[in-house]
């Protein structure tokens, strides 16, 4: 999605959907990356402007992923299977429809109104979604474990889940013992992402890193076993911080 290379991009998007379906069929935790990508969809209309490319690129990735997911028992069950669409299906369909229509809106409106029109459209979708839920729309929800990962405050509502050692709530001391000094470089990475000095990162890359990292840290707060996702966030942010620091040191040493 960074570059429009026509047929090559189309093939890459199809293969991305296939590999993502393979991953979900192997481990349910890969749904984290699916959600991160779908959240990134919402940011795209505000930070990128590639005529016609995103109209077909994002739907291609989403449709490819959903279709290939039907080939495997576990991934098919996540997205409805024989029982029809469920909540996870809408997690993919909703942002895909949003980015598709947003690009059409941008195509037929003046550039200075792009952001305003996309915000209005997003607001109308959110209001419509709440209206459907209030009207009693019944989309199959995931099991309690997955809901608890989305909402860590649900832990106290199920004593059985909370009694499992790998489901215990994460403490700050444990997080620091697992991630240690990398947290410092991650903070530096966040700071450098928001400065003009990080020229090696384009706006879309910065947004994707921030979305993935914030989501990872949030999800990891639910269970100890999900602390793995906090590691992803710290690795991404820490590596960005270190790379930019080394780049600046190298440039100064050359002068």
């Amino acid at each position: 999605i960074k570059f429009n290379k026509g047929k090559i991009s189309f093939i890459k998007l199809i293969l991305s959907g296939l590999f993502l379906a393979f991953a979900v069929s192997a481990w349910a935790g890969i749904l984290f990356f699916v959600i991160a990508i779908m959240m990134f969809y919402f940011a795209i209309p505000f930070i990128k402007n590639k005529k016609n490319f995103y109209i077909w690129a994002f739907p291609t990735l989403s449709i490819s992923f959903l279709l290939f997911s039907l080939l495997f028992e576990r991934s098919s069950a996540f997205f409805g299977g024989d029982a029809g669409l469920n909540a996870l299906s809408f997690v993919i369909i909703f942002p895909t429809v949003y980015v598709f229509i947003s690009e059409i809106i941008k195509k037929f409106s003046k550039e200075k109104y792009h952001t305003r029109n996309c915000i209005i459209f997003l607001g109308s979708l959110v209001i419509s979604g709440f209206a459907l839920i209030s009207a009693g729309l019944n989309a199959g929800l995931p099991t309690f474990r997955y809901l608890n990962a989305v909402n860590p405050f649900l832990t106290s509502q199920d004593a059985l889940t909370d009694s499992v050692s790998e489901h215990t709530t994460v403490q700050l001391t444990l997080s620091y013992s697992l991630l240690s000094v990398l947290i410092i470089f991650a903070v530096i990475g966040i700071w450098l992402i928001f400065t003009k000095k990080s020229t090696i990162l384009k706006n879309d890359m910065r947004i994707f890193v921030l979305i993935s990292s914030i989501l990872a840290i949030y999800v990891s707060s639910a269970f100890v076993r999900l602390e793995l996702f906090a590691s992803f966030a710290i690795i991404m942010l820490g590596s960005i911080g270190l790379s930019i620091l080394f780049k600046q040191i190298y440039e100064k040493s050359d002068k």
Side-chain angles (χ1 to χ4, degrees), residues 16-241:
S16 296
L18 173 62
F19 294 144
L20 201 55
F22 269 132
V24 173
S25 69
W27 182 44
I30 297 298
L31 289 172
F32 162 79
F33 298 102
V34 175
I35 294 173
I37 292 171
M38 294 303 124
M39 290 180 67
F40 181 61
Y41 275 28
F42 288 107
I44 279 293
F46 301 104
I47 59 177
K48 301 287 283 186
N49 188 20
K50 292 187 177 180
K51 295 181 178 179
N52 300 324
F53 177 53
Y54 293 131
I55 290 179
W56 61 265
F58 285 96
T60 298
L61 175 59
S62 299
I63 293 171
S64 171
F65 173 55
L66 283 174
L67 290 179
F68 283 122
S69 294
L70 299 177
L71 298 177
F72 309 104
E73 182 178 357
R74 173 179 286 185
S75 56
S76 177
F78 281 134
F79 300 108
D82 297 333
L85 297 177
N86 60 17
L88 284 174
S89 300
F90 286 103
V91 168
I92 298 172
I93 295 171
F94 185 81
T96 304
V97 171
Y98 164 74
V99 75
F100 175 77
I101 298 179
S102 292
E103 290 302 312
I104 294 177
I105 291 173
K106 289 168 64 177
K107 185 176 181 180
F108 292 100
S109 61
K110 294 182 179 179
E111 186 173 354
K112 64 179 181 179
Y113 298 129
H114 284 179
T115 300
R116 185 202 66 180
N117 293 344
C118 289
I119 291 174
I120 292 173
F121 177 57
L122 177 60
S124 64
L125 279 182
V126 172
I127 293 171
S128 300
F130 279 116
L132 288 172
I133 294 173
S134 301
L137 176 66
N138 185 18
L141 293 175
T143 60
F144 182 83
R145 279 195 312 156
Y146 298 105
L147 292 176
N148 199 174
V150 175
N151 183 4
F153 296 103
L154 292 177
T155 301
S156 59
Q157 296 186 15
D158 189 345
L160 181 61
T161 300
D162 196 28
S163 65
V164 180
S165 58
E166 63 181 15
H167 290 167
T168 53
T169 305
V170 178
Q171 303 294 328
L172 288 176
T173 52
L174 176 62
S175 294
Y176 184 78
S177 65
L178 293 172
L179 304 172
S180 64
V181 72
L182 289 176
I183 295 176
I184 299 173
F185 293 112
V187 173
I188 295 173
I190 293 174
W191 174 64
L192 290 174
I193 283 174
F194 285 103
T195 64
K196 294 181 180 179
K197 295 180 180 179
S198 56
T199 54
I200 61 174
L201 289 175
K202 303 300 183 183
N203 285 339
D204 55 339
M205 297 171 66
R206 298 187 197 196
I207 296 296
F208 183 72
V209 168
L210 288 173
I211 288 174
S212 302
S213 301
I214 293 171
L215 181 64
I217 293 170
Y218 172 76
V219 168
S220 68
S221 66
F223 301 145
V224 169
R225 65 180 299 189
L226 298 181
E227 190 72 11
L228 173 66
F229 293 116
S231 301
F232 291 143
I234 297 301
I235 288 170
M236 286 191 292
L237 294 172
S239 60
I240 289 171

